[in-house]
Amino acid sequence: MLPARYRMRRSAEFSATVSRGVRAVQPDVVVHALRNGADASGPRIGLVVSKSVGNAVERHRVSRRLRHVARAVLPRLDPADLVVIRARPGSRHALSPRLEQQLSAALERVEARRGTPR
């Protein structure tokens, strides 16, 4: 489970990350990342799981998997990072190791686009 202090809760953080952040697309997830210089209280991760993923049970299952996978990548993130993970419809059939692999690949792509090696 993703600790509460790392969860993105404010709508303004979500919209700023999605609109101004760097985007990386994978088959089952889309990752938006923004380095927020003003607030370095630890990386914040937000999830977007829309109705296109499935019914409520499937969406909650995907959310739980993504929160678990996001916890594994926390050490790789900068304290000023804001990350939004958007689930695509195929994510409902993806297993956790596949989601973790795609999230890691997307974060590597984001870092490459920023031009900052990690």
Side-chain angles (χ1 to χ4, degrees):
M1 185 59 71
L2 187 64
R5 68 181 222 172
Y6 296 119
R7 292 187 199 161
M8 191 181 296
R9 289 198 168 94
R10 289 188 227 134
S11 176
E13 288 179 326
F14 275 91
S15 56
T17 305
V18 171
S19 64
R20 295 193 325 241
V22 178
R23 182 180 66 166
V25 179
Q26 293 291 312
D28 298 323
V29 294
V30 178
V31 174
H32 299 269
L34 178 67
R35 181 122 332 131
N36 185 11
D39 180 26
S41 62
R44 296 223 189 272
I45 297 175
L47 301 177
V48 177
V49 184
S50 70
K51 287 185 178 183
S52 67
V53 172
N55 63 26
V57 173
E58 292 168 332
R59 290 194 310 268
H60 287 286
R61 184 178 297 129
V62 169
S63 295
R64 284 192 304 271
R65 285 183 182 156
L66 288 174
R67 278 195 304 268
H68 179 74
V69 166
R71 182 178 177 191
V73 298
L74 274 175
R76 296 177 41 191
L77 298 175
D78 187 85
D81 281 345
L82 297 175
V83 178
V84 172
I85 304 167
R86 184 169 56 87
R88 298 180 77 186
S91 63
R92 92 180 119 201
H93 302 296
L95 299 176
S96 293
R98 178 182 163 110
L99 291 174
E100 185 172 0
Q101 177 188 21
Q102 289 184 19
L103 181 58
S104 294
L107 289 173
E108 287 173 11
R109 186 180 273 171
V110 163
E111 289 300 326
R113 287 186 180 158
R114 282 185 187 156
T116 56
R118 293 289 295 174

